[in-house]
Amino acid sequence: MTDTSLREINRKLRVRQIPVEYIKRPVEERKFDFNEVVLGYTPETAVAEASRCVQCPEPQACLLNCPANNDIPEALWLISQGDFLGAAKVFAQTSTLPEICGRVCPNLCQQGCVLNRYYGPVSIGKLEAFVADIARAEGLFKINVPEQKTGKRVAVVGSGPAGLTVAEDLIKLGHDVTVYEAWPVPGGVLVYGIPNFKLEKQVVLRKVRDLEEAGVKFITNTRVGEDITIDELMEQFDAVFLGTGAGVQARMNIPGEDLKGIYTSTDFLIRANVPAEMRPPHMQEPPEVGRRVAVIGGGDSAVDCARTSIRLGAEEVTIVYRRTEAEMPGNKTERQVCIDEGAKIEYLQAPVEYIGDENGHVKAMKVVKMELGEPDSSGRRRPVPIEGSEFIMEVDTVVLAIGFWPDPLLGEKTPNLATHKWGLIVADEETGRTTREGVFAAGDNVHGPDLVITAIAGAHKAARSIDAYLRGEKVEPIPPPPPRKR
Ligand code: SF4
């Protein structure tokens, strides 16, 4: 019997649609440490969960919803047949970081799954992580490089998901790759932005080690634009890729924002989640967390900070968000996990002033209630303050998690590298070409904060263009945008 007819029978016979749970550490255990919360599937439960996939005919909604076009039905079929390594290979065809995406992706694929409406989607992300972990442990993800090198050299700036992807794609094509990272350890946002309880640092560092073994060089503690310029890199390398992400924190610019006890989310998460030996010297002190913590914002970062606060011993943790749940960005499942761990969320509220005590430490914030007005440029309804609704919320610690933008330094220090609003690099989404010859970019520094898998998808395209450029094929830099009207 052919594989196709087996699948056909399988589709017709499928009756058990109750989701098979993966193992998660109980709240009362996990909220006292920073270890990973999700322990995942066993081989038996993975087969059972993957068998729920009804192998939809093309076009499958799960696949269409995945920015990297992972062949999810094929991978799930292989898992249901017990072929875990085969499934891992399928994920690895389109994703350089399947064990990481499986852990942190908000699972757009699952939102598209046809089972979602009545039974709950197939747990694609956790299955992806399960098979990818096995494959890496078995050495299946070893990066093979051609014996014949091209002699071309590429500098990759940033070692987050986009940088690691470009590095892997190009080393596999025979180019020499050197990755520059501003932090002490490679991994970018994967190490410094995502807490350990969602993604253990070792998972990322294993990937870095594989790249090193393939010949990729990592130069850490080096901020391009400050310690070395793009012009200097262009003298040493044949092409430069910018995968610097969006790590600069937005501020609210309201009174009292500089009081002690108020942290940006990046500062807070690094001090709390990253081991001291991996933190820079100025971030050695852990954050001081009082009894009552307010986290301002509504995205994944806000949720991460709330869960971190709980682990640091805070008794009352409140996420304060200026819109309603319907407009909230980020992963809904993670939000529920955060609530399960004891945080609460106050919607339609925003601080307008932070109030300090006699020692200059925050002790309260003045909060205004909001209502939703007309949609703004993001398409979401704009929060409008309700006049006279201000009230005082007592707090001991505040964490600001209200948005991220790219480091403006590269645009400021690099001739002919055009940037636009909030320092985003002007780059063609299909090729990664920037306005500077030989310089390519993809990921959050081009489109703003987005998913790991979106950065990977853009980085694959940029790597293909860099390879074409290095082989002498013409890849035009995109023309600079017309001067902005003031
Ligand atoms: Fe399987 Fe769901 Fe994809 Fe259909 S949409 S192929 S059921 S994972």
Side-chain angles (χ1 to χ4, degrees):
M1 190 176 287
T2 64
D3 192 55
T4 315
S5 50
L6 256 179
R7 288 192 195 200
E8 193 58 35
I9 292 167
N10 203 290
R11 186 184 304 151
K12 286 178 184 151
L13 289 180
R14 220 36 75 75
V15 285
R16 183 169 51 73
Q17 288 303 350
I18 300 165
V20 182
E21 287 294 318
Y22 51 83
I23 305 167
K24 222 183 324 174
R25 295 165 63 223
V27 171
E28 284 314 314
E29 177 191 314
R30 71 188 194 227
K31 70 181 191 182
F32 295 109
D33 65 45
F34 284 83
N35 298 334
E36 266 194 356
V37 166
V38 173
L39 301 180
Y41 283 110
T42 64
E44 294 74 25
T45 55
V47 168
E49 177 62 4
S51 299
R52 294 179 60 232
C53 171
V54 294
Q55 294 290 314
C56 300
E58 290 179 24
Q60 298 96 342
C62 56
L63 193 155
L64 290 180
N65 262 23
C66 173
N69 285 118
N70 284 345
D71 190 350
I72 293 159
E74 177 68 16
L76 294 182
W77 170 254
L78 292 169
I79 297 172
S80 75
Q81 302 303 301
D83 184 357
F84 302 143
L85 296 182
K89 273 188 205 161
V90 171
F91 283 121
Q93 279 167 8
T94 37
S95 172
T96 45
L97 307 168
E99 66 271 59
I100 294 171
C101 290
R103 284 172 167 83
V104 302
C105 187
N107 295 316
L108 300 177
C109 51
Q110 289 183 199
Q111 290 163 27
C113 175
V114 294
L115 302 183
N116 201 2
R117 193 156 172 200
Y118 297 112
Y119 308 104
V122 181
S123 189
I124 302 163
K126 299 296 174 279
L127 289 169
E128 181 181 10
F130 170 73
V131 294
D133 282 346
I134 294 175
R136 189 160 307 278
E138 296 271 328
L140 188 83
F141 287 163
K142 184 175 180 318
I143 299 165
N144 295 314
V145 293
E147 274 176 26
Q148 194 72 33
K149 301 290 262 179
T150 63
K152 300 291 184 189
R153 305 187 68 221
V154 182
V156 170
V157 185
S159 63
L164 294 182
T165 298
V166 166
E168 178 168 343
D169 286 359
L170 294 180
I171 201 96
K172 279 177 172 171
L173 291 167
H175 306 304
D176 280 327
V177 181
T178 301
V179 179
Y180 288 84
E181 171 56 55
W183 294 107
V185 169
V189 69
L190 302 172
V191 166
Y192 289 92
I194 300 179
N196 212 58
F197 49 82
K198 282 167 68 176
L199 173 64
E200 276 182 359
K201 312 291 173 221
Q202 286 307 320
V203 175
V204 184
L205 297 181
R206 280 198 289 271
K207 177 73 192 185
V208 170
R209 186 198 58 207
D210 284 357
L211 286 163
E212 282 175 327
E213 282 173 8
V216 175
K217 281 196 209 98
F218 287 89
I219 297 177
T220 54
N221 287 314
T222 304
R223 188 175 177 217
V224 173
E226 187 176 87
D227 300 312
I228 185 167
T229 64
I230 301 276
D231 285 342
E232 287 166 331
L233 289 180
M234 288 302 285
E235 287 168 14
Q236 300 172 36
F237 295 90
D238 299 295
V240 172
F241 171 74
L242 305 176
T244 41
V248 174
Q249 194 99 36
R251 307 279 297 191
M252 298 182 78
N253 295 323
I254 61 175
E257 214 171 343
D258 292 328
L259 287 168
K260 283 185 236 163
I262 301 181
Y263 296 88
T264 63
S265 64
T266 307
D267 191 37
F268 187 75
L269 289 175
I270 290 174
R271 288 173 192 271
N273 277 292
V274 179
E277 66 276 15
M278 290 163 68
R279 299 200 295 262
H282 68 283
M283 288 181 154
Q284 286 299 306
E285 288 295 314
E288 276 178 34
V289 170
R291 197 171 66 77
R292 296 157 302 188
V293 177
V295 180
I296 316 301
D300 287 336
S301 193
V303 168
D304 292 345
C305 292
R307 296 179 68 192
T308 298
S309 304
I310 290 167
R311 283 158 176 77
L312 292 174
E315 291 169 25
E316 284 174 32
V317 178
T318 309
I319 294 175
V320 178
Y321 180 54
R322 61 194 184 135
R323 291 180 163 105
T324 73
E325 186 175 12
E327 293 79 29
M328 220 166 182
N331 188 327
K332 203 172 168 186
T333 310
E334 291 292 329
R335 203 179 306 145
Q336 187 55 51
V337 169
C338 178
I339 292 167
D340 294 346
E341 290 177 357
K344 63 178 182 173
I345 305 179
E346 295 288 357
Y347 296 102
L348 290 168
Q349 295 182 8
V352 288
E353 181 182 348
Y354 299 106
I355 301 159
D357 62 14
E358 61 282 5
N359 299 317
H361 194 286
V362 66
K363 66 170 188 179
M365 54 189 199
K366 189 192 277 183
V367 179
V368 67
K369 292 186 180 171
M370 299 280 189
E371 60 190 355
L372 293 182
E374 293 301 310
D376 62 14
S377 57
S378 72
R380 296 178 300 169
R381 291 180 66 192
R382 184 190 301 274
V384 181
I386 301 172
E387 209 173 307
S389 66
E390 290 88 350
F391 66 97
I392 300 295
M393 182 188 284
E394 292 184 357
V395 292
D396 303 301
T397 306
V398 174
V399 187
L400 306 175
I402 52 173
F404 298 89
W405 307 112
D407 188 344
L409 195 70
L410 281 180
E412 289 163 10
K413 291 282 176 80
T414 312
N416 302 326
L417 182 74
T419 57
H420 57 143
K421 59 179 180 177
W422 307 303
L424 295 168
I425 295 170
V426 176
D428 181 77
E429 286 199 13
E430 288 309 307
T431 62
R433 293 174 309 167
T434 68
T435 53
R436 173 85 185 252
E437 173 86 16
V439 178
F440 298 79
D444 289 2
N445 57 2
V446 172
H447 46 61
D450 209 323
L451 308 176
V452 169
I453 194 70
T454 311
I456 292 172
H460 278 315
K461 293 177 184 172
R464 278 198 294 274
S465 298
I466 294 169
D467 178 54
Y469 174 79
L470 294 174
R471 283 188 284 106
E473 294 172 15
K474 196 75 183 155
V475 181
E476 297 281 356
I478 58 172
R484 263 178 262 167
K485 288 189 185 133
R486 297 190 186 272

